[in-house]
Amino acid sequence: MNTDVHEQSPSYVRAIAPYQPGKPIGELAREMGLDAKDIVKLASNENPRGIGPRTRAAIESALGDLARYPDANGFELKQALARRYGIGMDSIVLGNGSNDVLELVAAAFLNTSRSAVFAQHAFAVYPLATQARGAGSIEVPAVDYGHDLEAMARAVASDTAVVWLANPNNPTGTFCPPDALEAFFKRVPAHVIIVLDEAYNEYLPSERRYDSVRWLKRHPNLVITRTFSKAYGLAGLRVGYALAHAKVADVMNRVRQPFNVNSVALAAASAALGDMEFVARSFAENLAGLRYLEQGARALGLDYIPSFGNFITIRVGKAGEIYKRLLKRGVIVRPVSGYGLPEHLRVTVGTPEENQRFLTALTASVKD
Ligand SMILES: *Cc1c(COP(=O)(O)O)cnc(C)c1O
């Protein structure tokens, strides 16, 4: 028996460092002998409001058809998105979460003789998706935790095929203003795909909002990605999408599994997209929670990175230790040492009660 058969896997695949997800509630309950009901999870930027009644009804009605394959083209959801954004349905690629869509970009545009550019402290999936294709990674140092767009434009090499940008970024919550993005797009060669990951778009305050979709006309190398996992509350169902030039969307769809988005997820996302009130409330409650957590961090004399998402990354010092103390108190947050932030913890904005639980636990944990 050849036990070294795993070495037949390309070395770039074996070198992948697995993604570190937020600790599941059930796991902490088992480890600490806690009641799952007493655990607060603020580790995965999930929506503490859950889902709205219209979305729940759509899910229940989709259960009647589970024996059937889903619509491989996601007609209904694509139609709703096309109407929302004023673009053609052929400019939309649906994914099993936007993570899937990011993988489709990598599958369609990267290989072992190409490279991708991304920022220090950028979302972990960019280096993962890049490495899984054997492409080279060019990581550009951040400035004040945010993307240095000037340096990123300069870092584009002759073999670069993809640039990954997150706006706002996770786990830092930093934001690039639209004029800086437009200046960046003009500097990147037209044959390089620019992924603008807007997973937290719905959490931007009105004065920061910008219309990225109109940029697709002038920049056919732009791929905008969005998700139903955050403000729409559907992280468990996995739905995301890309908006891109029809020819770019076409190649991404060629590497997509035919049934990559399940039927319940398709129905839920179509309903959730129409529930503007749910998103508006998620936005307002998030902003209030963010201000509350900022205030709490300041009261403890802790620095934090000003955030435009549904989370805040706080500099607690010995983050590994504080993380463990919080776990003992039944509060799960996210260590970000893997992102080059060994002194920070990322905390998702929860319900007012959850935020309060977190601050009480943090206050005790920094004093332990
Ligand atoms: C959460 C997140 C995503 C994707 O999440 P999905 O659940 O796969 O849609 C993408 N980009 C960033 C920056 C994120 O934080």
Side-chain angles (χ1 to χ4, degrees):
M1 198 164 50
N2 182 4
T3 53
D4 293 335
V5 67
H6 71 283
E7 287 181 11
Q8 298 305 309
S9 162
S11 56
Y12 57 81
V13 171
R14 281 177 285 140
I16 293 173
Y19 180 80
Q20 299 286 351
K23 194 181 208 38
I25 289 176
E27 189 176 301
L28 182 65
R30 285 192 297 278
E31 284 173 6
M32 300 272 175
L34 296 171
D35 191 331
K37 289 197 298 296
D38 297 330
I39 293 175
V40 169
K41 183 185 176 215
L42 301 173
S44 302
N45 298 348
E46 295 146 342
N47 191 328
R49 304 190 75 232
I51 57 172
R54 284 162 62 176
T55 304
R56 188 172 299 278
I59 289 170
E60 278 161 10
S61 118
L63 294 179
D65 254 343
L66 282 187
R68 305 251 176 235
Y69 278 99
D71 174 1
N73 289 314
F75 180 86
E76 210 184 307
L77 177 56
K78 277 193 190 171
Q79 190 179 53
L81 289 166
R83 283 191 185 139
R84 168 71 55 90
Y85 296 119
I87 56 168
M89 285 170 65
D90 56 357
S91 278
I92 302 170
V93 182
L94 300 181
N96 185 38
S98 60
N99 198 330
D100 185 28
V101 169
L102 300 174
E103 297 281 352
L104 297 180
V105 171
F109 293 100
L110 292 177
N111 63 28
T112 53
S113 54
R114 297 181 180 177
S115 68
V117 169
F118 50 84
Q120 181 189 19
H121 315 311
F123 186 45
V125 168
Y126 311 151
L128 285 174
T130 299
Q131 196 176 357
R133 299 287 152 186
S137 283
I138 301 174
E139 186 182 291
V140 180
V143 169
D144 289 335
Y145 303 105
H147 293 10
D148 180 348
L149 293 176
E150 287 277 318
M152 289 179 77
R154 281 197 304 274
V156 170
S158 57
D159 67 355
T160 297
V162 174
V163 178
W164 306 102
L165 297 178
N167 203 40
N169 181 47
N170 169 20
T172 56
T174 48
F175 175 75
C176 298
D179 50 341
L181 288 173
E182 279 195 276
F184 176 78
F185 299 156
K186 286 184 188 135
R187 291 189 54 185
V188 172
H191 67 273
V192 175
I193 292 289
I194 303 170
V195 177
L196 181 62
D197 178 347
E198 298 184 328
Y200 300 96
N201 175 267
E202 293 82 3
Y203 291 108
L204 286 175
S206 55
E207 71 276 13
R208 303 277 178 170
R209 296 264 165 92
Y210 58 95
D211 180 8
S212 53
V213 179
R214 81 188 156 86
W215 291 334
L216 289 172
K217 281 210 179 73
R218 211 170 327 137
H219 302 285
N221 55 333
L222 181 61
V223 176
I224 298 165
T225 66
R226 303 246 176 114
T227 182
F228 285 93
S229 297
K230 310 280 159 62
Y232 292 94
L234 293 174
L237 278 180
R238 319 298 304 123
V239 202
Y241 55 95
L243 308 176
H245 188 281
K247 287 183 178 167
V248 173
D250 177 57
V251 289
M252 289 172 65
N253 272 316
R254 282 167 202 252
V255 290
R256 181 178 65 81
Q257 288 179 43
F259 305 109
N260 64 331
V261 187
N262 72 72
S263 51
V264 181
L266 286 171
S270 299
L273 188 69
D275 196 345
M276 312 283 258
E277 194 191 321
F278 180 85
V279 176
R281 283 191 178 209
S282 297
F283 165 79
E285 290 176 15
N286 178 69
L287 195 61
L290 198 55
R291 295 290 167 262
Y292 175 78
L293 292 176
E294 287 172 349
Q295 209 173 31
R298 277 199 302 270
L300 289 170
L302 300 175
D303 287 339
Y304 56 84
I305 307 172
S307 173
F308 293 90
N310 65 343
F311 57 89
I312 181 166
T313 296
I314 304 175
R315 187 171 192 166
V316 296
K318 290 183 182 148
E321 184 55 35
I322 304 285
Y323 170 67
K324 282 190 218 147
R325 292 178 192 167
L326 289 170
L327 287 182
K328 284 193 187 130
R329 295 183 164 93
V331 177
I332 311 173
V333 298
R334 189 70 156 267
V336 283
S337 57
Y339 284 91
L341 298 166
E343 298 196 335
H344 289 77
L345 290 173
R346 193 194 69 192
V347 186
T348 302
V349 177
T351 63
E353 300 73 41
E354 290 171 333
N355 297 334
Q356 197 174 20
R357 266 283 303 277
F358 162 72
L359 278 184
T360 305
L362 181 66
T363 305
S365 298
V366 295
K367 287 174 184 160
D368 266 357

